[in-house]
């Protein structure tokens, strides 16, 4: 029997040495990954209530301070969801955690729509934040399970595109529904969550949870404490997260203080989403060719520079230019950062690794807007300088050598 293999043609040899195209990379992603992208788009498209929560509560006679407290309660819920969601993803499985999150989130949303007492509203808002966000670590862990290491940058960029596309179109639909009454925001939000839950139950793979022998929290904490590369990513992401969340807080004050309208601010922020949706995926065909931490460092620096340059931006084109630089940094660093974290995580701890990463962003969300607005009010120049310094700090942290646990760098 002849076991010799046919000699590849010159064209086949050239093709084998080529970098895969974006289209071929997307085609290589497994079907469950596309189910996950669709579910993410559906869930974020239907995230009607949170953007309108302040308007809803003030329309019901609550003060602005009370509305702020309720929004803070939602943030506290999401903070807890990062750790609990990661734990459940490893213990009961990715699919079950996503389904639990979607159906419990839908139920909490409907209960919140019927709440009248302010203490009850605060409690239910916190529970809504908890249940709505439980799925995040599980989704990222499932995508990591499904996609091999070399394809993860593209996969996470596609996940972010679905997220941003849903969030770009959702608020406009929410505004339309609000005309007919705020209840329809809650009902629509709950319906899209339940629909994602059904999609997850019937279309996502069963039993995916890394490895059968899941580690205890004691073992997980031991590994987390010793993983210095993880510590670098967490610290760098926290530093740049403090800058990221200025876009939805202090940046608006800056634009309106320059004499521009809230609509102008909204248009500049929308530019960020449009650029991410249309350009982030193609950009990954370039960034994935380079070492992960160098790419992340460049992205962090661009984010810091882009935001710091707002100190000199006093016209709409200048503000838009700063947003473009900031968004370029975001597009460079975010898919790579997600893929790098996924590569770092042991298979049986992926949920908890990604949950801890989410906790870092939640902490930045809690601290960033408050600290930024106070600093901006006291000393604007120091505020802009601090934003640039945080970008430099994130770049330096991720550029340092770390000696524990090997990973693709």
């Amino acid at each position: 029997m002849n076991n010799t293999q046919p000699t590849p043609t010159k064209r086949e040899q050239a093709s084998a040495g080529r970098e895969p195209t974006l289209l071929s990379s997307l085609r290589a992603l497994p079907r469950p990954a596309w189910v996950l992208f669709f579910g993410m788009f559906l869930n974020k498209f239907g995230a009607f209530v949170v953007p309108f929560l302040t308007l809803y509560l003030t329309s019901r006679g609550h003060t602005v301070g009370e509305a702020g407290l309720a929004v803070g309660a939602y943030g506290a819920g999401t903070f807890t969801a990062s750790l609990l969601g990661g734990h459940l993803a490893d213990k009961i499985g990715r699919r079950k955690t996503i389904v639990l999150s979607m159906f419990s989130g839908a139920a909490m949303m409907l209960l919140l729509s019927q709440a009248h007492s302010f203490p009850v509203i605060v409690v239910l808002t916190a529970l809504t934040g908890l249940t709505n966000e439980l799925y995040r670590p599980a989704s990222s862990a499932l995508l990591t399970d499904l996609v091999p290491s070399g394809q993860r940058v593209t996969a996470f960029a596609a996940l972010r595109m679905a997220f941003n596309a849903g969030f770009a179109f959702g608020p406009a639909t929410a505004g339309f529904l609000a005309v007919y009454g705020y209840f329809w925001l809650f009902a629509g939000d709950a319906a899209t969550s339940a629909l994602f839950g059904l999609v997850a139950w019937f279309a996502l793979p069963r039993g995916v949870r890394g490895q059968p022998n899941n580690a205890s929290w004691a073992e997980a904490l031991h590994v987390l404490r010793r993983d210095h590369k993880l510590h670098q990513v967490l610290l760098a992401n926290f530093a740049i997260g403090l800058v990221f969340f200025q876009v939805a807080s202090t940046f608006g004050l800056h634009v309106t203080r320059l004499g521009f309208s809230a609509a102008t601010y909204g248009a500049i922020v929308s530019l960020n989403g449009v650029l991410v949706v249309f350009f982030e995926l193609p950009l990954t065909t370039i960034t994935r060719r380079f070492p992960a931490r160098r790419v992340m460092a460049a992205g962090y620096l661009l984010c810091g520079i882009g935001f710091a340059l707002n100190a000199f931006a006093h016209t709409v084109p200048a503000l838009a230019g700063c947003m473009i630089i900031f968004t370029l940094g975001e597009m460079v660093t975010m898919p790579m950062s997600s893929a790098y974290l996924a590569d770092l995580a042991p298979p049986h701890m992926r949920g908890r690794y990604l949950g801890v990463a989410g906790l870092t962003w939640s902490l930045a969300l809690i601290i960033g807007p408050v600290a930024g607005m106070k600093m901006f009010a006291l000393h604007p120049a120091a505020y802009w300088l601090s934003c640039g310094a945080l970008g430099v700090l994130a770049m330096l942290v991720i550029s340092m050598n770390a000696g524990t646990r090997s990973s693709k760098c």
Side-chain angles (χ1 to χ4, degrees), residues 212-385:
N213 296 320
N214 290 292
S216 65
W217 262 111
E219 182 186 343
L221 289 173
H222 177 72
V223 173
L224 289 166
R225 277 199 306 266
R226 292 173 60 86
D227 193 338
H228 298 308
K229 289 183 178 179
L230 173 67
H231 302 163
Q232 283 182 291
V233 181
L234 296 181
L235 180 55
N237 280 351
F238 176 70
I240 210 64
L242 294 173
V243 179
F244 262 81
F245 294 118
Q246 303 307 310
V247 174
S249 55
T250 314
F251 181 61
L253 294 177
H254 174 61
V255 173
T256 53
R257 280 192 181 184
L258 290 172
F260 301 113
S261 66
T264 301
Y265 162 69
I268 295 171
V269 172
S270 295
L271 175 64
N272 170 270
V274 169
L275 291 172
V276 169
V277 168
F278 286 103
F279 295 105
E280 184 169 285
L281 257 174
L283 188 60
T284 61
T285 62
I286 300 171
T287 58
R288 68 188 181 191
R289 301 173 189 172
F290 300 97
R293 293 201 296 177
R294 291 182 185 176
V295 172
M296 291 157 64
Y300 292 141
L301 183 61
L302 283 171
C303 287
I305 290 173
F307 215 78
L309 286 176
N310 281 298
F312 309 102
H314 303 292
T315 65
V316 172
L319 291 166
C322 292
M323 182 58 71
I324 290 170
I325 296 171
F326 172 84
T327 306
L328 177 60
E330 177 185 355
M331 293 189 294
V332 165
T333 198
M334 293 306 292
M336 188 66 78
S337 176
S338 297
Y340 181 77
L341 267 169
D343 288 343
L344 278 181
H348 59 300
M349 295 185 196
R350 279 178 182 152
R352 278 167 283 195
Y353 258 66
L354 295 165
V356 169
L359 194 70
T360 302
W361 286 96
S362 297
L363 190 60
L365 173 59
I366 292 170
I367 297 172
V370 175
M373 284 189 279
K374 285 186 177 180
M375 185 176 290
F376 183 74
L378 291 172
H379 203 300
Y383 166 76
W384 296 118
L385 183 63

